Amino acid sequence: MPAIRWSRKLTLTCTAAAILATTPACSAAQSGQPSTSASIPAAPDEAQPRLTIAELRALYGDEQSRYVDIRGVEIHYKDEGSGPVLFMVHGSVSSTRTWDRITEILKPNYRVIRFDIPGYGLSGRVSDEAAANVQPVEIAEELVERLGVKKLTFVGVSSGGTMGMYLAAKRPDLVERLIISNTPSDPVDTSHLVMPESFLSATAKARKTGFSDMKFWNEYLTYFAGDPARISAQTRKEYYDLNRRTAEKHPIALVARIGDGVQAKIEMKKITAPTFLIWGGADALLPESAADAITGYLGSAQISRVIMPDVGHYPPLESPDRFAQLIAAYVEAGVVSDNQPAAAKP
């Protein structure tokens, strides 16, 4: 069946949630503004095989899993290895498992810290109070402070990169380097997306029922990959399982968002940390032109950039070995200072 053009314009902040939302669930809340959110309704239905957080922790928790209460929200995190700190934040509808392979590669030489954004993975629920009063960046900031971190390299993908930009703008003393991947810098018009009928059908069903089944996640991960064969059956099952946790009242309240872009651009101008863009050039949602745009907004930062032309929206998930090599090369090469000649960029 021929592909159908998705004509509706959506504001990007959290890919799947934006696609599924019947209201502009991802358009509100920027750094420095109240964390309002619209919930995605989930119809109670015995046919929906939901999993509780406790069940998910039993399935996916391991000996590295740690939990800490921050601002009234229970945060699942992992802190592995030793050396310079790499602080990694996943995108929306994802989890710390985004970084599993990368952590395995890098932890012999680095201290790798990662956490599940509240409402996702194995982290706890977001209360009404937290949704109203806590900013996404405050969770990340307090977590690293609790762990005694004074300097870090922030690594983020998609909306995880958005959180990194806000943290770098707020805490230049903390963020030494910023590595971001396929991160939005503007409200994104999705009218250019051409989705196959199978994806549209799975999305329509998910909207109607309030439940994203395995077919939806297979279609989603296939569509947003440069090479769908790189997304393993295990990864697909993890996405399905971790996104069928008992429905959240505030599913995106603590996801960092671009919103209308006004405040985001102000924050991006503040960033002085050397920044490395690792971009999936085959991303249907945020192609290379999006990397050009974010480069322009980060006018005060030294920018390095690598385009991975065969990779889609989630480079650390789709090509973790290359991604890890690029992180190590960038950190180990150091950064340009005003008094030193520029080293070769990766």
Side-chain angles (χ1 to χ4, degrees):
M1 190 168 291
I4 297 176
R5 182 166 294 279
W6 185 262
S7 59
R8 189 176 164 205
K9 291 186 177 182
L10 297 169
T11 300
L12 170 86
T13 55
C14 41
T15 320
I19 289 170
L20 289 169
T22 55
T23 59
C26 302
S27 62
Q30 303 164 31
S31 176
Q33 296 183 341
S35 284
T36 59
S37 68
S39 61
I40 300 173
D45 184 340
E46 291 182 3
Q48 297 179 3
R50 297 281 184 180
L51 294 174
T52 66
I53 296 173
E55 288 171 325
L56 286 169
R57 288 176 179 176
L59 281 172
Y60 291 109
D62 56 35
E63 62 183 12
Q64 284 80 40
S65 291
R66 300 289 183 271
Y67 299 90
V68 63
D69 184 278
I70 296 178
R71 305 293 183 96
V73 181
E74 190 177 29
I75 303 300
H76 170 249
Y77 73 95
K78 294 185 177 184
D79 182 356
E80 301 171 74
S82 61
V85 174
L86 302 175
F87 184 56
M88 300 183 176
V89 180
H90 64 83
S92 56
V93 307
S94 299
S95 72
T96 55
R97 300 189 77 84
T98 297
W99 310 107
D100 278 1
R101 173 61 181 161
I102 291 172
T103 300
E104 181 183 344
I105 295 169
L106 295 178
K107 70 180 181 180
N109 298 306
Y110 297 92
R111 181 183 178 188
V112 181
I113 301 172
R114 48 193 169 128
F115 76 103
D116 282 323
I117 293 170
Y120 294 94
L122 306 185
S123 282
R125 295 187 175 284
V126 181
S127 66
D128 292 347
E129 182 179 358
N133 298 303
V134 180
Q135 291 297 317
V137 72
E138 292 172 340
I139 299 293
E141 183 179 20
E142 187 162 332
L143 175 60
V144 295
E145 287 179 349
R146 296 268 192 102
L147 296 175
V149 175
K150 303 299 183 184
K151 298 285 184 181
L152 59 84
T153 295
F154 190 105
V155 185
V157 61
S158 192
S159 59
T162 304
M163 184 179 289
M165 293 193 299
Y166 289 152
L167 184 62
K170 182 180 181 182
R171 292 290 306 276
D173 61 307
L174 175 67
V175 180
E176 287 188 298
R177 302 175 187 85
L178 181 60
I179 300 175
I180 54 178
S181 181
N182 293 71
T183 293
S185 58
D186 292 286
V188 176
D189 176 2
T190 63
S191 62
H192 65 285
L193 295 182
V194 179
M195 298 180 178
E197 175 62 31
S198 56
F199 191 10
L200 290 173
S201 175
T203 300
K205 180 182 178 183
R207 275 213 190 105
K208 182 178 180 180
T209 64
F211 181 78
S212 303
D213 60 19
M214 191 71 208
K215 179 175 174 56
F216 172 83
W217 290 108
N218 274 326
E219 293 287 342
Y220 175 87
L221 291 167
T222 293
Y223 183 77
F224 286 107
D227 180 356
R230 295 191 185 117
I231 309 298
S232 70
Q234 177 62 30
T235 293
R236 292 168 184 270
K237 184 178 185 301
E238 289 167 3
Y239 264 75
Y240 168 59
D241 283 346
L242 291 165
N243 281 288
R244 64 187 176 110
R245 59 185 270 170
T246 307
E248 296 290 329
K249 184 177 181 181
H250 303 288
I252 60 166
L254 294 180
V255 174
R257 285 164 277 166
I258 291 296
D260 63 11
V262 175
Q263 186 64 35
K265 290 180 179 62
I266 293 171
E267 299 304 313
M268 283 187 274
K269 286 182 179 178
K270 297 177 184 177
I271 295 171
T272 56
T275 301
F276 185 22
L277 307 182
I278 308 177
W279 216 266
D283 185 357
L285 190 65
L286 295 173
E288 188 173 349
S289 58
D292 295 337
I294 205 168
T295 297
Y297 295 137
L298 295 170
S300 299
Q302 173 213 333
I303 306 294
S304 301
R305 187 163 100 175
V306 165
I307 303 297
M308 304 170 75
D310 58 324
V311 177
H313 186 66
Y314 296 109
L317 192 70
E318 188 177 344
S319 191
D321 288 47
R322 273 192 286 168
F323 201 92
Q325 290 167 3
L326 288 166
I327 290 173
Y330 183 68
V331 174
E332 290 167 14
V335 294
V336 177
S337 75
D338 292 337
N339 300 318
Q340 295 177 342
K345 297 179 182 178

